[in-house]
Amino acid sequence: MGKLLIQQNQLQALCTEILAKRLDRTEAEIIADSFVFADLYGVHSHGVIKLKASLDRLNNKLIENKTELQLERDMNAVALINANNGWGQVASVHAMDFCIKKSKTFNASFVGVKNSNHFGIGRYYTMRAARAGMIGFAFTNASNYMVPFGAKTPSIGANALSMSVPTKDDFIITLDMSTSNVARGKIAIAQKDGKSIPEGWAITIDGENTTDPEEAMTGYLLPLGAKGSGLAIMLDILSGILTGSNFGSNIPSQFEGSEPQKLGHLFGALKIESFMDMNKFYDRVEVKVNETISTEPLKGFDRVLMPGQLSFETYKKNSRQGIPIDKPVIEELISLAKSYEVDSLYIEELVSTIGGEI
Amino acid sequence: MGQIIIPEDVLSSLCVDIISCKVPHHEAEIIAESLVEANLTGVSSHGVTKVFDYLTRHEKDLIASFTDITVEQDQITTFTWNANNGWGQVAGKKAMQECIERAKIYGVSFGAVNHSNHFGIASYFSKMAAQQEMIGFSFTNTSNIMVPYGGRTPSLGTNPICISVPTGTEVIVTLDMSTGVTARGRINLAQKLNQKIPTNWAITVDGNETSNPTEALKGYILPMGSKGSGLAIMVDILTGVLTGANFGKSVPRMYEENIPQNIGHFFGAIDISKFIDLDEFYQNMKERIDQIVNSEPMEGYERVMYPGQIEYEKKREQLENGIVLDKEIYLELITLAKKYHLNVKRYEQVLNDVC
């Protein structure tokens, strides 16, 4: 499939303008930024491809058009924010920033968000903490697509965890992982390409193993073994139950569901300086990075990477030369912009700066 | 050699008697409690078999005779302690107690420990928080025996992650997982039983695939894919880099190397009641567990379980009927007790009774 090299600023401006037709500009900016950020880091499944689906949910009145945040609890180093079915990205940026602020005073802080929606990409928040000299954590639950280990019927999402650690330079060590064996997006790609999938990715709706992506998409994801299943359950407790949100099989589907998802998130920040001198920490982290990336690779591998290194390299490349985005995704964005009557100037700007097709 | 069944109180008292020959009695009690808890919950690799290993290291002056903690940082919700080469279980228990006290006031607390040693099962600490109606976290780094994903030389331990959540009943939901594709103990077992191992468990010292457990034990454990490797690196950062302990390549192997390990641990507690009313939390935990255990099992599975369920059931059963133990390990303990000139009459008597 053809990809177009899109400039970050023009992409962000167009997405913001589309969203701003329906939302407050400040909220539109955050949401657009989170989408473009995902594309910049090469995580296209959470990028601008999501814009249309998000607006569909808004049009179906499943998400509010304004994120009315309500501080339900605020006690020393912890807090709970009710997002009142507003936008996950908006609630999460506020929650993480509040967490960072609290951690500046208390050195560790956790802030929960309840009654929220899909928050996009976890590292968008944890990297904010890392930039403040902290170790950041973000946990979320998700649509009920996955079976617990050994089960035929789903009662968890491919719940995700993200953790970020700063280094001396602009690389931020970041683990951003779901707890399923593979992302649902990978199965969708196989479906599109008409390819079969390996056993172990998903089961059919009747609980049978399958290599047919079609059947897998109507069926359920398999967890990353017993450990992935255990982690998913723990993340459901931390992000869903602890915050008073939906959890497990109570969470309706993001795409097919007809009710608000009421997702929960939990954010954490640990101030590094409260444990150890910052420069000493940076020196030690550098040793950790170096001992990892200088590892001699196994047969079949080019090199050994730190968590988040590949996406950081993608980010650097994409910021320089433009973001490769599937042509149909750009076409959809443009037609979306037209139907929302966005000033055609933004479309022209985006199109005129396309850096070619790859 | 066969297995025997030993009452929990007998095994505990034998371990306390032995360990207290070398460390203060109150420390010996903590260490023995952690080891016996491992046996009770069916995690025998971290059980009383370690008494001999620990004391061997102690005899070589690789572990201190008591756990003298120095406070390096004391910062409202966080702290860093130096265990001064004392005992992992003792430093860990005190650190988790400290986290719990601070979380009661501030809602959360995290504590780092450096210059420590093997701390036994991680769930011993996280469950302490759960018993105080908190969510407990416990992490440690371990001997350098695992390769990072895609690598052929080790710079990681099978660094475990442990989280415990209370349910309002005596059940504590507990995830206690290593980040390796398998535990080294399972390779040991395969070696003992002369069985082949799957080729994705470990690599040889030269970085080749192997199904031979002996070669695997000389070589390195593989991580649980790229995600397991990423988690292991993050745990190493929290427990090693951030605490001031050894990390990665610099953590010596517990059995083969004769230098103090300078292991690091990281503990945390989140006070649930600061986020949500406990009644509501427990009601939803019950529903969460029900959703899991009421799942229809896939073909080849008998039932679907919540994290920590097997261990919980095992503990209940063994508290009632006694602990199943390799006879060899019990005899090793008695030999050790005799070496320290302890009166072992009572313990030998138990052996005669059960055999």
Side-chain angles (χ1 to χ4, degrees):
Chain A
M1 195 190 319
K3 287 178 195 290
L4 301 172
L5 275 181
I6 304 293
Q7 294 309 311
Q8 166 189 354
N9 293 340
Q10 282 68 24
L11 182 62
Q12 184 144 342
L14 182 67
C15 292
T16 304
E17 291 308 315
I18 298 172
L19 287 161
K21 289 287 177 188
R22 300 295 313 276
L23 306 171
D24 283 357
R25 181 157 290 270
T26 50
E27 296 201 19
E29 275 167 2
I30 292 172
I31 299 160
D33 190 51
S34 133
F35 287 147
V36 174
F37 175 96
D39 283 312
L40 269 171
Y41 280 84
V43 190
H44 299 296
S45 58
H46 289 58
V48 297
I49 193 172
K50 284 277 190 185
L51 191 82
K52 184 172 184 300
S54 305
L55 285 168
D56 285 348
R57 281 187 71 80
L58 179 71
N59 293 335
N60 293 333
K61 299 206 167 18
L62 299 172
I63 304 188
E64 297 297 322
N65 59 10
K66 193 161 173 22
T67 309
E68 303 270 11
L69 298 177
Q70 210 180 325
L71 190 56
E72 282 197 359
R73 293 196 180 207
D74 182 6
M75 241 179 256
N76 291 328
V78 301
L80 179 67
I81 295 170
N82 190 335
N84 287 308
N85 198 30
W87 289 71
Q89 290 90 338
V90 178
S92 297
V93 163
H94 281 93
M96 185 46 113
D97 286 352
F98 194 42
C99 193
I100 292 167
K101 191 177 156 212
K102 280 185 172 294
S103 200
K104 280 183 181 154
T105 309
F106 294 103
N107 303 314
S109 167
F110 273 79
V111 173
V113 176
K114 71 192 281 192
N115 294 334
S116 185
N117 285 289
H118 197 277
F119 76 7
I121 180 170
R123 77 186 78 181
Y124 187 66
Y125 315 103
T126 54
M127 285 170 72
R128 291 174 96 86
R131 285 190 204 101
M134 298 175 184
I135 297 180
F137 302 87
F139 311 127
T140 188
N141 58 12
S143 305
N144 178 33
Y145 286 141
M146 191 165 87
V147 294
F149 184 70
K152 277 172 99 155
T153 47
S155 63
I156 30 177
N159 302 340
L161 74 89
S162 175
M163 182 177 161
S164 287
V165 180
T167 68
K168 207 175 286 185
D169 45 50
D170 49 353
F171 171 55
I172 293 173
I173 303 166
T174 293
L175 180 70
D176 202 342
M177 58 174 267
S178 80
T179 45
S180 58
N181 202 355
V182 297
R184 205 158 178 264
K186 265 181 126 168
I187 302 174
I189 291 171
Q191 187 183 24
K192 232 182 206 168
D193 298 348
K195 287 184 184 149
S196 64
I197 55 167
E199 259 190 36
W201 283 17
I203 54 173
T204 67
I205 202 161
D206 303 314
E208 308 289 334
N209 281 315
T210 184
T211 56
D212 176 0
E214 205 90 34
E215 284 190 334
M217 287 301 282
T218 52
Y220 314 115
L221 287 177
L222 285 166
L224 181 71
K227 293 176 184 180
S229 176
L231 271 177
I233 292 164
M234 289 305 184
L235 293 172
D236 201 23
I237 294 169
L238 286 167
S239 54
I241 298 183
L242 184 66
T243 63
S245 306
N246 270 344
F247 58 89
S249 58
N250 311 338
I251 301 177
S253 160
Q254 191 189 350
F255 301 110
E256 297 94 22
S258 55
E259 283 169 83
Q261 286 197 290
K262 291 190 181 168
L263 297 184
H265 323 301
L266 184 68
F267 300 94
L270 302 177
K271 190 162 86 185
I272 292 165
E273 239 179 349
S274 73
F275 293 96
M276 170 180 283
D277 174 77
M278 202 67 199
N279 287 321
K280 191 174 165 196
F281 178 80
Y282 281 144
D283 288 344
R284 291 165 63 86
V285 158
E286 197 174 13
V287 174
K288 182 72 224 169
V289 172
N290 286 337
E291 76 175 10
T292 305
I293 63 176
S294 66
T295 306
E296 200 186 324
L298 267 175
K299 219 166 90 183
F301 290 84
D302 280 334
R303 52 182 183 146
V304 178
L305 297 165
M306 278 301 279
Q309 187 183 342
L310 195 63
S311 54
F312 179 67
E313 289 171 1
T314 305
Y315 159 79
K316 289 221 303 211
K317 190 174 145 200
N318 289 350
S319 331
R320 214 171 42 237
Q321 65 171 41
I323 311 171
I325 296 187
D326 289 340
K327 216 170 167 180
V329 173
I330 292 301
E331 284 163 1
E332 186 181 77
L333 265 187
I334 290 173
S335 80
L336 208 55
K338 283 179 181 156
S339 70
Y340 279 84
E341 297 177 338
V342 169
D343 190 334
S344 59
L345 200 79
Y346 293 97
I347 301 173
E348 287 157 22
E349 278 278 308
L350 180 96
V351 172
S352 69
T353 53
I354 287 176
E357 198 168 334
I358 52 171
Chain B
M1 206 178 289
Q3 290 189 315
I4 53 172
I5 294 175
I6 302 288
E8 183 258 343
D9 55 332
V10 174
L11 189 60
S12 294
S13 134
L14 173 58
C15 290
V16 172
D17 284 358
I18 295 171
I19 301 167
S20 59
C21 289
K22 297 293 170 183
V23 306
H25 195 264
H26 65 276
E27 294 201 14
E29 281 179 334
I30 296 171
I31 299 159
E33 190 183 36
S34 139
L35 299 178
V36 172
E37 171 76 11
N39 285 107
L40 273 173
T41 52
V43 191
S44 48
S45 59
H46 287 56
V48 299
T49 179
K50 289 274 191 232
V51 173
F52 180 81
D53 304 339
Y54 287 169
L55 291 174
T56 303
R57 282 185 70 79
H58 178 264
E59 265 173 33
K60 292 180 186 166
D61 280 332
L62 300 172
I63 306 185
S65 291
F66 63 102
T67 310
D68 178 24
I69 291 166
T70 316
V71 175
E72 292 186 349
Q73 295 276 351
D74 178 358
Q75 306 275 4
I76 312 178
T77 61
T78 66
F79 57 90
T80 304
W81 287 356
N82 185 330
N84 291 304
N85 199 28
W87 292 71
Q89 284 89 345
V90 179
K93 185 171 184 179
K94 287 189 176 165
M96 186 48 108
Q97 271 163 349
E98 187 70 25
C99 282
I100 292 168
E101 290 313 313
R102 291 177 191 228
K104 274 183 194 161
I105 303 168
Y106 300 106
V108 293
S109 172
F110 287 85
V113 178
N114 62 45
H115 288 90
S116 188
N117 285 290
H118 192 268
F119 75 4
I121 42 167
S123 60
Y124 179 73
F125 312 102
S126 55
K127 282 179 180 168
M128 287 171 59
Q131 276 150 3
Q132 302 287 319
E133 311 198 287
M134 296 187 183
I135 298 178
F137 300 85
S138 149
F139 309 102
T140 187
N141 60 10
T142 61
S143 306
N144 177 33
I145 58 166
M146 189 165 89
V147 294
Y149 183 70
R152 55 183 284 181
T153 48
S155 57
L156 291 168
T158 54
N159 305 343
I161 290 174
C162 186
I163 308 174
S164 288
V165 185
T167 63
T169 69
E170 54 169 26
V171 167
I172 294 175
V173 175
T174 292
L175 177 72
D176 189 352
M177 56 172 267
S178 89
T179 46
V181 73
T182 187
R184 208 154 182 267
R186 282 174 78 181
I187 304 177
N188 274 318
L189 192 66
Q191 187 189 35
K192 228 182 203 168
L193 302 174
N194 240 330
Q195 288 172 345
K196 281 190 172 179
I197 56 167
T199 53
N200 67 344
W201 281 13
I203 53 173
T204 66
V205 79
D206 304 315
N208 294 317
E209 266 190 6
T210 184
S211 57
N212 177 334
T214 307
E215 279 194 36
L217 287 169
K218 278 192 231 151
Y220 315 115
I221 304 271
L222 286 164
M224 187 184 69
S226 60
K227 292 178 183 178
S229 178
L231 284 170
I233 290 171
M234 287 308 195
V235 172
D236 202 23
I237 290 174
L238 288 174
T239 59
V241 178
L242 182 66
T243 62
N246 275 340
F247 57 87
K249 272 184 194 167
S250 62
V251 184
R253 287 193 176 200
M254 183 172 165
Y255 295 103
E256 296 89 348
E257 292 179 62
N258 286 332
I259 36 171
Q261 284 194 288
N262 184 8
I263 294 249
H265 320 304
F266 197 68
F267 303 99
I270 296 181
D271 187 357
I272 295 163
S273 66
K274 301 280 197 297
F275 286 88
I276 189 170
D277 293 337
L278 278 170
D279 287 345
E280 190 185 345
F281 183 82
Y282 289 146
Q283 197 185 322
N284 288 339
M285 278 303 292
K286 183 181 180 305
E287 196 187 328
R288 176 65 278 185
I289 290 173
D290 287 346
Q291 286 181 13
I292 298 163
V293 299
N294 296 335
S295 301
E296 198 186 327
M298 270 183 79
E299 211 186 296
Y301 293 85
E302 264 177 50
R303 54 180 181 150
V304 184
M305 285 177 284
Y306 62 80
Q309 186 176 352
I310 298 182
E311 291 80 3
Y312 170 72
E313 290 173 356
K314 193 90 195 163
K315 182 172 175 179
R316 276 183 66 144
E317 182 206 316
Q318 296 205 104
L319 275 177
E320 205 178 307
N321 306 327
I323 296 173
V324 178
L325 196 67
D326 287 335
K327 192 175 170 190
E328 206 176 343
I329 290 168
Y330 193 72
L331 290 176
E332 187 179 75
L333 287 173
I334 289 187
T335 309
L336 206 53
K338 281 182 179 161
K339 185 176 146 193
Y340 296 156
H341 309 293
L342 291 171
N343 180 354
V344 294
K345 214 166 156 190
R346 178 180 157 216
Y347 304 117
E348 285 183 323
Q349 184 59 45
V350 171
L351 193 59
N352 293 334
D353 291 348
V354 298
C355 284

